[in-house]
Amino acid sequence: LAKQHAFIRVHHNASAKNLGGAYRQGLQLARMHYLTHVNAKNDIMAEELSKIFACRKQADIVIPYHLNRNQRSLHRRWLSSGFTAMLNFLSGAKLSYYNHYILYPKKILQIESISTSSYAIQAEILINLLSLGHSFVEVGVNSNFVPDKQRFSRAFKLKNIWGVSRFLARQLRKTMLRKIFHKL
């Protein structure tokens, strides 16, 4: 694609990066005004991405969520719902989903404020930006869910589970401190 389109750049890494490392690198390499990441697993169609981009002027951040979440396996729906509920409790937000192809204006993203390299990176970025008062709009999109038996998810590797657990522990500590200082 890069050979066919001058606006596409390819960057190869000498060694594999986890999601957080790849996201940080993408932020450093980005040249346009908006930033999102799209997996190579063909789980969203171009028209659904168009829905996300069409909302970019309605708020600072466009947060997609799954309209067809019932097409996911029961255990993935359960884990996803639990993670979202936990993040909403810890952050005070009331979002439908934290881990989709969120669209940000590049100017509001700060690499220094990202501490996790785990699959919780989107949640951390969102929680940080919303706590700074940035506006958001949620948009429903349909996803192409591949049955869990047909693909291997790296999200459930021990390293990623540990990283997400550490992120949640930091968020819990921040929530507790916020409640203590609010009472003072």
Side-chain angles (χ1 to χ4, degrees), residues 21-167:
Y23 206 92
R24 279 189 195 92
Q25 183 178 42
L27 179 56
Q28 290 173 332
L29 294 171
R31 296 180 301 180
M32 300 299 175
H33 299 291
Y34 290 92
L35 183 77
T36 190
H37 84 283
V38 178
N39 294 328
K41 57 187 178 185
N42 197 29
D43 60 348
I44 191 163
M45 301 303 289
E47 48 282 357
E48 300 302 310
L49 285 171
S50 293
K51 286 183 190 177
I52 297 167
F53 287 106
C55 296
R56 72 186 178 279
K57 294 187 180 182
Q58 295 178 20
D60 295 332
I61 307 165
V62 181
I63 307 171
Y65 62 91
H66 300 291
L67 288 173
N68 59 334
R69 70 184 82 187
N70 288 340
Q71 291 180 3
R72 281 185 127 172
S73 67
L74 183 60
H75 83 276
R76 289 298 293 258
R77 286 193 315 252
W78 182 79
L79 287 170
S80 182
S81 295
F83 185 66
T84 299
M86 190 179 311
L87 291 173
N88 281 337
F89 171 75
L90 293 173
S91 69
K94 301 290 181 242
L95 299 179
S96 300
Y97 196 62
Y98 284 81
N99 290 330
H100 213 298
Y101 302 135
I102 299 163
L103 182 65
Y104 306 96
K106 184 182 173 199
K107 65 183 178 187
I108 69 172
L109 290 169
Q110 304 294 324
I111 295 174
E112 310 83 45
S113 67
I114 303 170
S115 61
T116 188
S117 291
S118 73
Y119 273 63
I121 190 164
Q122 288 281 48
E124 181 178 28
I125 293 169
L126 268 178
I127 290 169
N128 287 341
L129 292 176
L130 295 179
S131 72
L132 293 172
H134 289 285
S135 63
F136 70 92
V137 62
E138 292 184 288
V139 59
V141 296
N142 288 299
S143 298
N144 295 326
F145 294 116
V146 176
D148 291 341
K149 294 175 186 168
Q150 292 181 12
R151 73 175 175 89
F152 172 75
S153 176
R154 293 185 184 141
F156 300 110
K157 283 188 167 184
L158 186 58
K159 179 181 176 181
N160 290 322
I161 293 169
W162 175 247
V164 170
S165 298
R166 287 180 39 215
F167 163 73

Side-chain angles (χ1 to χ4, degrees), residues 89 173-184:
F89 171 75
R173 186 182 56 132
K174 286 180 184 179
T175 300
M176 300 297 282
L177 289 173
R178 192 171 48 243
K179 287 182 180 186
I180 289 168
F181 285 115
H182 183 71
K183 288 181 182 180
L184 299 175

